[in-house]
Amino acid sequence: MKIPDERPHLEEVREFYADISYEYDGRREAYFVNLYQLFARCLREVFQERRFGGPFTTVLDAGCGTGSQVLYAANFCRRVIGVDLVPEALEVASRKVEARRLQNVRLLVGDVTRLSLRDQSCDCVLSLGDVIGHIPNYEAMLAEVARVAKPGALFCFECENKWYPGLLWNREERLAALKDWRKGHLRVWKFQGKALTFNSFARGEITGLLARHGFRILDIYGFDFFTYLLPILEKYQFSDRPGWWEKAVLALGKVDLALTRHFPVNRFGYSEVIFARKIR
């Protein structure tokens, strides 16, 4: 574990997302606009185009937040289960489910490291929004995902990549990264005057973690590579005012999206979406 204080950290995460849950889906900042476009592409390929198998019967969204992925998956699957640590976020998700009169969605307040689901009960697990990076004991999450996933199940999740161009402009983080080439380091996300610490992962490290829990990587999509080639400050990434910096982030995000499956974006993007298969 890279984050040692598990309980205080998880409470900090819960409070942070509780504060923004009411407006999370409607964020207009360039970072979120680009990220939502990437998620939409991934969901389309998983459920509509069936690029990684399917159709899927039971989908788990581990760390479902306000339910955007849950709602999408519900259109294609017999049953969708959304689990999240933040009750306020699930309240927002519940209102969406009720408004659409969906009968195949179940929302649960819970910890993704201790799921109240049966063994091998899901044939697809989603976890977008860097859920794994917020969890100190991320091995426990992977163990739980492996437990509830059927053999052959798809696991689609997002995590933060250790090596990305932003290290060129951030001396403090660069020094932290260089302490151990093989493992990820702690990264700080600053947003709305608050700061959250989370884990990044080196490519070999995440590959080994998945293999240890019975998963084989099928593909990796990168995100936010070109946006970090320039020394763009976080305040420009997280501003909803359409200045030229914000427009640059949006434009570069389109390039990222076009090349997300290709080098160097899929190797050195700030974030990566990993598609893995449960092989045992």
Side-chain angles (χ1 to χ4, degrees):
M1 291 185 291
K2 302 184 184 77
I3 302 174
D5 52 342
E6 182 169 4
R7 290 184 180 179
H9 177 76
L10 291 179
E11 181 59 25
E12 181 182 358
V13 170
R14 193 203 68 77
E15 291 180 358
F16 179 88
Y17 284 101
D19 288 343
I20 66 172
S21 61
Y22 72 97
E23 60 175 354
Y24 190 77
D25 295 339
R27 303 228 64 94
R28 295 177 297 173
E29 294 89 348
Y31 173 84
F32 288 105
V33 171
N34 290 339
L35 186 63
Y36 294 159
Q37 290 178 344
L38 175 64
F39 288 173
R41 173 179 174 172
C42 293
L43 293 171
R44 183 178 67 250
E45 291 187 1
V46 168
F47 295 107
Q48 189 171 345
E49 300 174 7
R50 299 181 185 176
R51 183 168 179 265
F52 301 97
F56 301 107
T57 301
T58 301
V59 175
L60 166 66
D61 189 349
C64 66
T66 54
S68 296
Q69 284 76 242
V70 166
L71 296 180
Y72 190 94
N75 294 316
F76 301 92
C77 308
R78 183 180 302 172
R79 184 170 68 150
V80 183
I81 304 167
V83 178
D84 202 275
L85 186 70
V86 184
E88 293 85 351
L90 288 181
E91 289 176 8
V92 176
S94 181
R95 289 196 292 270
K96 296 177 185 177
V97 171
E98 292 174 2
R100 291 163 177 77
R101 298 181 180 179
L102 297 174
Q103 302 298 315
N104 61 337
V105 173
R106 181 186 177 196
L107 299 174
L108 302 171
V109 177
D111 185 342
V112 296
T113 66
R114 293 183 289 272
L115 295 166
S116 58
L117 302 177
R118 292 183 291 106
D119 293 358
Q120 298 187 7
S121 56
C122 304
D123 53 2
C124 179
V125 179
L126 302 175
S127 192
L128 301 176
D130 190 31
V131 176
I132 191 171
H134 290 316
I135 299 174
N137 192 357
Y138 45 78
E139 285 249 32
M141 176 188 175
L142 291 175
E144 278 293 87
V145 170
R147 181 183 67 79
V148 303
K150 297 179 180 179
L154 176 68
F155 181 26
C156 172
F157 69 101
E158 180 204 359
C159 66
E160 298 298 315
N161 188 22
K162 178 181 178 70
W163 302 109
Y164 77 110
L167 294 176
L168 296 171
W169 320 113
N170 189 329
R171 182 177 182 274
E172 183 178 352
E173 186 183 356
R174 183 169 68 250
L175 292 176
L178 290 172
K179 288 181 179 179
D180 191 336
W181 289 74
R182 298 166 299 175
K183 294 184 178 181
H185 58 279
L186 292 181
R187 185 172 289 160
V188 179
W189 184 40
K190 297 178 181 179
F191 181 64
Q192 289 191 338
K194 297 183 178 181
L196 272 183
T197 301
F198 57 94
N199 300 310
S200 68
F201 296 90
R203 178 62 58 87
E205 178 186 22
I206 199 68
T207 301
L209 286 168
L210 288 168
R212 188 151 63 240
H213 293 282
F215 289 95
R216 176 174 59 86
I217 293 177
L218 303 175
D219 209 342
I220 298 177
Y221 289 3
F223 166 68
D224 248 352
F225 172 80
F226 289 101
T227 52
Y228 278 101
L229 285 177
L230 297 176
I232 299 175
L233 301 177
E234 286 182 331
K235 68 179 181 180
Y236 296 117
Q237 282 271 31
F238 298 109
S239 171
D240 61 0
R241 297 179 181 179
W244 75 272
W245 274 106
E246 290 77 16
K247 291 178 181 178
V249 172
L250 290 170
L252 291 171
K254 292 184 183 299
V255 180
D256 275 321
L257 190 63
L259 299 176
T260 191
R261 294 179 58 192
H262 304 285
F263 187 88
V265 181
N266 68 345
R267 185 63 184 86
F268 297 108
Y270 173 82
S271 301
E272 50 192 20
V273 176
I274 297 177
F275 304 86
R277 180 84 66 208
K278 175 79 179 297
I279 57 176
R280 57 176 172 82

